[in-house]
Amino acid sequence: MDRAAAAERIAVLRAEIQRHDHLYYVEAQPEISDEHYDALLRELAELELQFPDLITPDSPTQRVGERPLEGFEHVEHAVPMLSVDNTYSPDELRAFDQRVRRTLGVETVAYAVDPKIDGVAVSLRYEDGSFVRGATRGDGRVGDDITQNLRVIRSVPLRLRGSGWPHIVEARGEVYWPRPDFDENNRRLAKAGKTPFANPRNATAGTLKQLDPRIVARRGLAFTAHSFGLIDPLPAGVTKSMQLYERFREWGLPISRYLRLCTGVEEVIAFVEEWDSQRKQLDFDTDGLVIKVDDLEQRKRLGSTSKSPRWCIAYKYATEQATTRVLSVGMHVGKMGTITPVANLEPVLVAGTTVRRATLHNFDQVRRLDVREGDTVTVEKAGEIIPQVMAVNTAVRPKTAEPVKPPERCPECGGEVQQDEGGVYLRCINPECPAQRFERLKFFCGRDQMDIALLGEVMVGKLLEAGLLHSYADIYRLEQRRDEVR
Ligand SMILES: [Zn+2]
């Protein structure tokens, strides 16, 4: 085959492969078998080997780079990636809508609403249809250049479909690890005696930090676009975000299947309620919805604070669960000597806060759950309640995990322990137990009791350590011992 014929065949093969990638990874409707697909890819690779000068960076053979990076470069975002404020109740949503309508001076606002994927936010930059750079959110203004790692994600098109794209298209969205693939990967790890990942979000974040894109390629990450940065120029006739997303779809950029246009806040609230039950059946983790003003001119008029846009808000469901891993099981000795088992967790975001510990209540509960160090567990946090471990996924338990045994002595003072009559609670019966003394003094000084503002948890700990506190009365003698306290 001469060079001209090869160039022609290469163009045909690339277009075919890109079409099948789109059908497979974006539409989830493949037309050809894996063998047929591999044959196309092999033919392309062989032609490119014969004519290496015909290789372009957006060729499907170029997804995986040759060698690991030394580190990530920093990228400044053309348009900052701001964070989104949260709401937790329909009334807060109504208040948001009221602010928006008042600023705009309109009766009703149309909102684009879609489920918030619990993944890692990224920005993809296309120049004249070619994927040139991908970056993490970072601090919102400067992120890490993770282009190599994003190239290997099959739902990220290396080249946009069709034609007539703006010179610059910045698609923003979420990289995530779809549940079925994540679970399968964890089962493989557990079988091989390796530590499974705590949850898809942490695993995705860790994967994108890999310097070797070949590792990323082996994990089945996916991308879904939910917003945009710089679009230059904005296509003629596009005045609403939904219209732009329609273009994104035509260009082969994956958009959430669940994206919906809601007219007025009551329609948004109905969608929120409808989703509360549906969200558990999705192939990704989600803790709520993101609600954005649809009209681009209205967005401009609303503007942003330094932290977040005024035209966008997230709704978070109040009770939340997340999966994570138990790093260790610790013991907490309370003010009455009750020994409470506590799970120390790989940090995980639940109901908007980072959870590092969850209570296991008592040793009866530990036996019932059969929770062990290294286990993958479901934690739940509802409102202000202390996070608790709800369930254990024993299918991915490490082989070496041992059952947790109740302590024979007090873990704080080594003193004798006693079981209460119901056999549920274990108590340290040493009245001089320093852990108990600490808890009692903390309680005594706390807001519900004497409300001694200066004696917080840290200060009580320091005073005990210095031997300055033995009883409640000592608290009031501290004044006379000022020099020692300082
Ligand atoms: Zn003790």
Side-chain angles (χ1 to χ4, degrees):
M1 198 181 283
D2 67 11
R3 195 174 178 285
E8 209 169 297
R9 181 67 188 150
I10 282 173
V12 169
L13 285 168
R14 283 180 188 163
E16 264 305 279
I17 291 165
Q18 275 156 12
R19 194 170 73 83
H20 291 301
D21 274 348
H22 181 80
L23 286 169
Y24 189 95
Y25 293 103
V26 180
E27 307 281 339
Q29 283 175 327
E31 276 178 5
I32 56 171
S33 67
D34 289 356
E35 290 75 24
H36 189 172
Y37 177 88
D38 289 342
L40 292 174
L41 201 61
R42 211 162 36 239
E43 188 187 346
L44 175 63
E46 277 161 15
L47 278 174
E48 286 181 344
L49 198 67
Q50 281 179 51
F51 301 96
D53 59 313
L54 294 177
I55 297 174
T56 56
D58 59 9
S59 171
T61 57
Q62 303 300 302
R63 277 204 185 262
V64 181
E66 284 299 301
R67 62 178 76 81
L69 296 170
E70 300 280 313
F72 296 117
E73 303 277 326
H74 287 166
V75 189
E76 198 171 328
H77 298 298
V79 177
M81 292 177 81
L82 299 177
S83 56
V84 176
D85 285 338
N86 292 322
T87 55
Y88 299 92
S89 69
D91 279 344
E92 285 178 278
L93 275 183
R94 289 189 184 100
F96 163 76
D97 174 63
Q98 203 171 23
R99 283 196 301 276
V100 167
R101 284 187 293 116
R102 199 185 307 128
T103 309
L104 296 174
V106 295
E107 283 289 304
T108 314
V109 175
Y111 296 102
V113 186
D114 68 348
K116 185 186 176 304
I117 299 173
D118 193 13
V120 175
V122 299
S123 185
L124 311 178
R125 185 179 170 100
Y126 290 84
E127 289 179 5
D128 301 317
S130 279
F131 176 53
V132 294
R133 193 160 56 245
T136 60
R137 180 175 176 279
D139 65 3
R141 285 180 168 73
V142 178
D144 284 338
D145 184 336
I146 53 163
T147 310
Q148 282 219 52
N149 287 346
L150 292 171
R151 290 177 66 89
V152 302
I153 297 173
R154 307 305 291 258
S155 46
V156 170
L158 296 182
R159 186 151 190 84
L160 297 181
R161 291 157 62 82
S163 59
W165 335 276
H167 171 50
I168 294 165
V169 173
E170 280 184 0
R172 285 176 178 175
E174 219 74 14
V175 171
Y176 63 103
W177 199 334
R179 267 283 169 194
D181 198 81
F182 173 81
D183 290 341
E184 176 58 35
N185 193 77
N186 259 358
R187 273 193 293 274
R188 271 203 305 272
L189 286 174
K191 229 184 201 167
K194 291 180 182 153
T195 314
F197 291 107
N199 57 56
R201 209 215 86 88
N202 289 16
T204 303
T207 302
L208 290 179
K209 283 194 194 112
Q210 297 289 327
L211 293 170
D212 186 348
R214 285 168 300 190
I215 295 172
V216 185
R218 283 198 291 271
R219 300 180 185 166
L221 303 188
F223 169 77
T224 294
H226 56 53
S227 52
F228 52 91
L230 185 64
I231 306 287
D232 185 28
L234 201 61
V238 169
T239 59
K240 318 254 193 251
S241 69
M242 292 296 272
Q243 294 166 336
L244 187 58
Y245 296 145
E246 204 37 61
R247 300 295 170 93
F248 272 24
R249 272 203 189 100
E250 289 164 21
W251 298 335
L253 288 163
I255 291 285
S256 170
R257 268 183 293 160
Y258 311 103
L259 176 67
R260 191 188 290 183
L261 186 70
C262 295
T263 309
V265 73
E266 294 309 320
E267 243 183 78
V268 173
I269 290 165
F271 191 27
V272 160
E273 277 156 13
E274 185 187 323
W275 262 88
D276 197 9
S277 53
Q278 283 186 40
R279 67 195 172 103
K280 280 140 201 156
Q281 286 129 44
L282 298 171
D283 74 344
F284 53 84
D285 289 356
T286 173
D287 55 12
L289 296 151
V290 182
I291 297 121
K292 300 184 190 116
V293 171
D294 185 36
D295 189 288
L296 302 181
E297 191 55 40
Q298 289 182 340
R299 285 189 186 185
K300 223 177 260 172
R301 278 165 60 203
L302 288 158
S304 328
T305 67
S306 62
K307 281 202 321 225
S308 49
R310 290 196 191 88
W311 42 265
C312 177
I313 199 107
Y315 180 90
K316 297 239 179 176
Y317 293 102
T319 307
E320 272 190 45
Q321 294 193 335
T323 56
T324 190
R325 195 170 52 242
V326 176
L327 300 173
S328 63
V329 175
M331 308 291 159
H332 179 257
V333 184
K335 61 182 184 296
M336 303 306 284
T338 309
I339 301 168
T340 307
V342 176
N344 295 308
L345 307 167
E346 188 171 316
V348 63
L349 206 63
V350 193
T353 56
T354 303
V355 171
R356 291 186 169 79
R357 286 148 64 93
T359 181
L360 292 162
H361 298 293
N362 53 57
F363 289 95
D364 223 31
Q365 175 80 346
V366 170
R367 266 190 303 275
R368 198 179 60 75
L369 287 170
D370 186 23
V371 60
R372 305 180 185 189
E373 293 188 354
D375 267 346
T376 299
V377 295
T378 305
V379 288
E380 183 174 296
K381 184 175 186 296
E384 294 306 302
I385 296 167
I386 301 167
Q388 46 188 322
V389 174
M390 304 301 289
V392 176
N393 182 359
T394 51
V396 294
R397 165 173 290 163
K399 279 178 190 153
T400 52
E402 298 274 348
V404 173
K405 286 199 208 87
E408 281 161 14
R409 317 288 298 181
C410 170
E412 291 290 341
C413 69
E416 213 178 311
V417 294
Q418 230 172 44
Q419 200 130 72
D420 75 348
E421 278 159 30
V424 171
Y425 292 99
L426 213 57
R427 271 170 26 92
C428 164
I429 54 168
N430 169 16
E432 290 301 305
C433 177
Q436 292 184 46
R437 213 159 55 202
F438 171 68
E439 288 299 326
R440 276 197 301 266
L441 286 167
K442 197 174 84 181
F443 177 74
F444 182 75
C445 300
R447 208 163 305 162
D448 298 332
Q449 302 295 322
M450 302 309 291
D451 198 11
I452 303 174
L454 288 172
L455 286 177
E457 185 171 341
V458 176
M459 187 53 84
V460 169
K462 279 184 180 163
L463 291 171
L464 273 174
E465 220 169 278
L468 290 168
L469 277 186
H470 297 283
S471 65
Y472 301 136
D474 282 344
I475 293 168
Y476 298 99
R477 287 188 207 113
L478 285 173
E479 176 67 21
Q480 297 142 32
R481 303 176 67 178
R482 255 205 151 134
D483 296 339
E484 285 170 76
V485 177
R486 283 183 179 172

